[in-house]
Each structure stands twice: as structure tokens, then as C-alpha cells.
């Protein structure tokens, strides 16, 4: 099987490494890739937001399977274009990808499916903003306002704050840019990311993970695309995962089928485990980054065969997934000033070793690895348990040199110390 992976981040690097372990995968390609993926896959420079360009590339290299990593190509319908030329694609249709591309669409699906989620309201007129803010957040109600961009925002379009002025300023900036705003009630409880491979109404869950969105230790600073993650979750009972699948993912998958928007690909559910039970924060239509890096590090089932089965509609025939014992931790090394405009163009040393996955990197004419984005590297450590995996990840990241770079020192720390409980 020849597999083409679309994307350029650490998520795609992790996908390629996992696919390389599959004995049925005999050829790997990536578009556009990065300095790290160049050593394990043929790289092609193509506009990944163009369905025609991606489909032509897949035909030219005789791909048997295309795996689309990022959300933007999926929301734009690139998976539809690949399927239209007869090549199996792991990734939902443009119609089904609205589960991430439009938060109001996702809310409507959840309401129809009877899934617990935050109370919400869409504001698309600045004149209605103040009255809407009064219906959410302090005083006397939720501890904070939750203000979201209704569309795609690379994980950085959300503000959670107890300060009304901050909430209003974020909402106003979105409206000024022509983006509808979603206000939500605050969901209290530890967060869980659950990836499920979905083929119509067939749902196969992967290991649950937890990611860290804020840029600084102890969840301080602005939201980012994700600064780290760990898996599995020692504090989350197995029956809660079963409950999420049965009460959330399967009803949503069935509702999408009923609407003629059947989902085929990776459905990511972000949840808060509240005192009343799991409640959905968001859905994504693809593998999440940085959770993918640690989840796939523990997968023993051949990934290519699993994704191909979903792409051709045979997921229900696949055997149960097999996992390595132990835990995995991902720590993201970010460029100076991220999540603002990042400093780029600096040489990186210590990055070409096992356990380091590339994202915002390129190679200079003299062969040096250079920074080219905000989230530059993902460092993955594995071990017999969460403390051991943390130790492995942080020992590795200390050996990398990038001027001005920063990372969180507390990825998985609360769970490792037993400070998370339901």
C-alpha cells in the first residue's frame, strides 16, 4: 500500500512514523512535509487547500490511500476531490467536516442527537453583543465567559475569562473581522480528548488523552494550538470512555448519517468531565495536535490497515485495537513570541533524534535545520507509567537548542502526582 499524507506538522510526522511501522505500507509520501518528514517520506510541494492539486498528485504517485491531517483542506472539500478520482481517502467530506468548520452546526447536531454540551448563543451583530454577554458569565452565574470564533481558528480563537471587558474585546474583534461569535456557558471539570475512527455509524475509540492549550505553566497566558499532551489518563475509568462513545460519539455519528452527511475519518471529541457527567466542548474533524503524537506512540495495531478499512467502509470488520503498556507524553517546543507572531529563521540543534517530531522546520541550503513556524517541534517520551514518560520527554527536550524557544514544564504533572480526580 502506498500512502500519501497531507500536511506539514508534527501530527503528520507522527502519522508517517506510525504508518511506517505497518508491514502493509510499502511507500510513504507527504505534501508538503517539513525537515523531519523528509527523511522518511517522499516530499511534494503542492497547495494542500486545492482539491484538484491534491487529487492530481495522488494519481501521479499512484497512491492507494490519502490521509488528510489538517482541518482546512477537509473543510474546503479536498477529501471529496480525492474520492472523485477513485482513490480512498481518510478524512470526512466537506459536508461532514462542518462538525469542526461551524460550531453552530455542531451545536445543532448535538441538540438533535441529545448530547450534553454547554448552553450557547451565536452573535453575528455587534448591536446584540452586550445583551448576549449579560446572559453568560459573572455575576452570580458561571465563573467565566467563554467566547469562541464560530469558524476555524487553529485552536487560538477561544477566550475564557472572568473579566467582562476582556470577553467583550475578544468578541468585538471577531465581529469586526466578519466572524460570528459563539458564547457558551462554562463547563467545569477535567478535560478529555477522545479520538474515534468513524465509518458511518461504526465507531472505534483510540486511547483518551489530555492536551494543554494555554501557553504557560499552570494554564496561564493565551490559548495556543496546543503546548503538550499525555495518554492514557490514569484518573479516567474505562467505563467513562465507554459512556462517551455510547452517549456522545455514536449518537452524533448516527445523526450525521441521518442528515446525509455520513462521517468517514477521525472524529475528535473534546469534553469536560463535569459533576453531571461528560459534556462536549468541541468536535474536530481530524487527528488533533499534539494529542496524536502521544496516542500513536502507544498504538500497536497497524495504522495503515486501520485507516484504509475506514476509508473503504470496512471498519466494522477490523479486530480490536492493540496498545503498548505504559504512557506517552508530548511536549511542544515553541518559537519565541508564540502564540503571537513567532520568531523564525533560527538554527536548531539536537532535533534529529528519535522522539523528536518536526512541525515548523525547514532545511537551509547548507543542510541546517531552521525554525519556520510557531510550534517548532514536538518531543515525545514514553515509559512504564506517566512519571517515567514525563522524565523521558523532558530529558530529551533539554538537549535541543533553539534561541528564544519556550515550553511548558507541567505537561501531565497534575495527573502524575495524583491531583486529578472525578
Amino acid at each position: 500500500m502506498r500512502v500519501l499524507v497531507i500536511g506539514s506538522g508534527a501530527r503528520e510526522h507522527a502519522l508517517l512514523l506510525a504508518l511506517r511501522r505497518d508491514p502493509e505500507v510499502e511507500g510513504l509520501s507527504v505534501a508538503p512535509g517539513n525537515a523531519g518528514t523528509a527523511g522518511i517520506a517522499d516530499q511534494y510541494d503542492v497547495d494542500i487547500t486545492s482539491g484538484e492539486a491534491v487529487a492530481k498528485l495522488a494519481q501521479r504517485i499512484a497512491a492507494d490511500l490519502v490521509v488528510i491531517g489538517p482541518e482546512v483542506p477537509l473543510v474546503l472539500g479536498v477529501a471529496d476531490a480525492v474520492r472523485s478520482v477513485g482513490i480512498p481517502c481518510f478524512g470526512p467530506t466537506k459536508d461532514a467536516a462542518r462538525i469542526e468548520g461551524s460550531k453552530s452546526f455542531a451545536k445543532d447536531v448535538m441538540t438533535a442527537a441529545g448530547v450534553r454540551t454547554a448552553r450557547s448563543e451565536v452573535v453575528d451583530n455587534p448591536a446584540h453583543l452586550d445583551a448576549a454577554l449579560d446572559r453568560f458569565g459573572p455575576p452570580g452565574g458561571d465563573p467565566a465567559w467563554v467566547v469562541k470564533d464560530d469558524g476555524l481558528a487553529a485552536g487560538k480563537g477561544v477566550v475564557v475569562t472572568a473579566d467582562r471587558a476582556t470577553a467583550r474585546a475578544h468578541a468585538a474583534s471577531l465581529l469586526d473581522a466578519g466572524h460570528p461569535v459563539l458564547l457558551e456557558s462554562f463547563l467545569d471539570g477535567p478535560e478529555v480528548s477522545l479520538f474515534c475512527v468513524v465509518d458511518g455509524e461504526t465507531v472505534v475509540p483510540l486511547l483518551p488523552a489530555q492536551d494543554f492549550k494555554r501557553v504557560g505553566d499552570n494554564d496561564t497566558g493565551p490559548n495556543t494550538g496546543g503546548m503538550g499532551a499525555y495518554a492514557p489518563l490514569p484518573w479516567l475509568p474505562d467505563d467513562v470512555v465507554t459512556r462517551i462513545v455510547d452517549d456522545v460519539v455514536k449518537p452524533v455519528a448516527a445523526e450525521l448519517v441521518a442528515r446525509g452527511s455520513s462521517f468517514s475519518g477521525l472524529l475528535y471529541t473534546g469534553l469536560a468531565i463535569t459533576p453531571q457527567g461528560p459534556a462536549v466542548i468541541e468536535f474536530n474533524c481530524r487527528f488533533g495536535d499534539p494529542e496524536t503524537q502521544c496516542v500513536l506512540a502507544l498504538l500497536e495495531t497497524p495504522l495503515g490497515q486501520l485507516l484504509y478499512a475506514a476509508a473503504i467502509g470496512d471498519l466494522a470488520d477490523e479486530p480490536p485495537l492493540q496498545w503498548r503498556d505504559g504512557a506517552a507524553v508530548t511536549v511542544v517546543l515553541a518559537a519565541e513570541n508564540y502564540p503571537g507572531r513567532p520568531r523564525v529563521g533560527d538554527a536548531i540543534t539536537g532535533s534529529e533524534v528519535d522522539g523528536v517530531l518536526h512541525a515548523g522546520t525547514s532545511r537551509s541550503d547548507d543542510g541546517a535545520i531552521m525554525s519556520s513556524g510557531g510550534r517548532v517541534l514536538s518531543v515525545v517520551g514514553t515509559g512504564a507509567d506517566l512519571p517515567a514518560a514525563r522524565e523521558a520527554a523532558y530529558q530529551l527536550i533539554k538537549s535541543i537548542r533553539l534561541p528564544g524557544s519556550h515550553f511548558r514544564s507541567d505537561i501531565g504533572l497534575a495527573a502524575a502526582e495524583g491531583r486529578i480526580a472525578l
Side-chain angles (χ1 to χ4, degrees):
M1 178 163 47
R2 294 173 296 278
V3 183
L4 168 62
V5 174
I6 301 300
S8 61
R11 165 185 50 215
E12 287 73 38
H13 197 166
L15 285 164
L16 289 165
L17 289 172
L19 288 164
R20 189 172 64 167
R21 299 196 297 266
D22 187 332
E24 293 296 318
V25 175
E26 60 183 15
L28 286 173
S29 300
V30 62
N34 56 50
T37 60
I40 57 175
D42 297 327
Q43 299 209 151
Y44 297 90
D45 187 12
V46 68
D47 179 4
I48 65 171
T49 66
S50 167
E52 180 182 7
V54 172
K56 284 184 176 178
L57 173 62
Q59 288 179 302
R60 178 158 60 90
I61 65 175
D64 299 299
L65 173 67
V66 175
V67 179
I68 300 177
E71 62 272 26
V72 172
L74 293 167
V75 169
L76 292 176
V78 172
D80 305 71
V82 172
R83 291 190 184 97
S84 72
V85 297
I87 298 175
C89 184
F90 185 81
T93 64
K94 179 179 180 178
D95 198 35
R98 288 185 295 160
I99 198 76
E100 178 172 2
S102 169
K103 294 179 180 64
S104 54
F105 173 78
K107 289 288 186 181
D108 186 61
V109 170
M110 284 186 275
T111 298
V115 169
R116 288 191 69 243
T117 186
R119 179 174 61 90
S120 65
E121 182 175 337
V122 175
V123 180
D124 58 9
N125 187 329
H128 301 156
L129 177 58
D130 286 303
L133 285 169
D134 289 342
R135 292 189 283 273
F136 291 82
D142 290 339
W145 281 274
V146 181
V147 184
K148 297 182 177 181
D149 189 329
D150 186 52
L152 299 178
K156 293 180 280 188
V158 181
V159 164
V160 180
T161 179
D163 182 68
R164 191 182 193 280
T166 301
R168 191 186 191 286
H170 181 61
S173 69
L174 294 174
L175 290 168
D176 287 346
H179 296 196
V181 170
L182 185 76
L183 300 180
E184 287 188 336
S185 58
F186 181 79
L187 294 175
D188 190 23
E191 293 188 11
V192 173
S193 299
L194 185 65
F195 296 173
C196 292
V197 180
V198 175
D199 166 17
E201 295 193 40
T202 302
V203 174
V204 176
L206 307 188
L207 289 179
Q210 186 178 65
D211 78 331
F212 294 74
K213 288 294 187 187
R214 301 230 182 215
V215 70
D217 284 359
N218 302 312
D219 292 327
T220 57
N223 270 3
T224 71
M227 293 298 293
Y230 68 96
L233 309 182
W235 49 268
L236 188 71
D238 291 342
D239 66 324
V240 176
V241 174
T242 301
R243 182 177 175 186
I244 293 169
V245 171
D246 290 343
D247 295 350
V248 175
V249 187
K250 287 184 176 179
V252 165
E255 175 63 21
L256 289 172
V257 170
R259 292 174 179 230
S261 303
S262 181
F263 194 98
S264 174
L266 195 291
L267 186 59
Y268 166 128
T269 310
L271 310 105
I273 310 301
T274 73
Q276 294 76 37
V280 175
I281 299 171
E282 65 176 349
F283 283 107
N284 291 337
C285 63
R286 38 70 193 186
F287 280 101
D289 183 339
E291 299 99 322
T292 299
Q293 292 89 295
C294 55
V295 170
L296 292 187
L298 299 173
L299 180 66
E300 289 194 340
T301 293
L303 181 64
Q305 296 170 56
L306 175 68
L307 303 188
Y308 185 77
I312 65 171
D314 287 347
L315 183 61
D317 298 330
E318 288 296 292
L321 301 186
Q322 300 297 314
W323 299 93
R324 289 176 53 187
D325 293 333
V329 171
T330 301
V331 181
V332 171
L333 184 74
E336 182 177 347
N337 200 44
Y338 178 80
R341 184 175 181 178
R343 168 177 164 176
V344 297
D346 290 304
I348 308 166
T349 59
S351 66
E352 295 183 274
V353 295
D354 290 344
V356 178
L357 308 182
H358 289 232
T361 65
S362 59
R363 195 175 291 273
S364 66
D365 292 340
D366 63 3
I369 303 294
M370 310 296 291
S371 62
S372 61
R375 290 190 295 172
V376 182
L377 303 168
S378 284
V379 174
V380 181
T382 59
D385 54 21
L386 184 54
R390 273 180 42 83
E391 176 69 17
Y394 281 107
Q395 284 297 323
L396 185 53
I397 204 168
K398 290 175 184 177
S399 67
I400 299 170
R401 296 289 177 266
L402 172 62
S405 62
H406 59 96
F407 59 88
R408 283 185 59 159
S409 66
D410 63 345
I411 304 301
L413 179 59
E417 295 180 344
R419 292 188 280 117
I420 301 180
L422 301 184

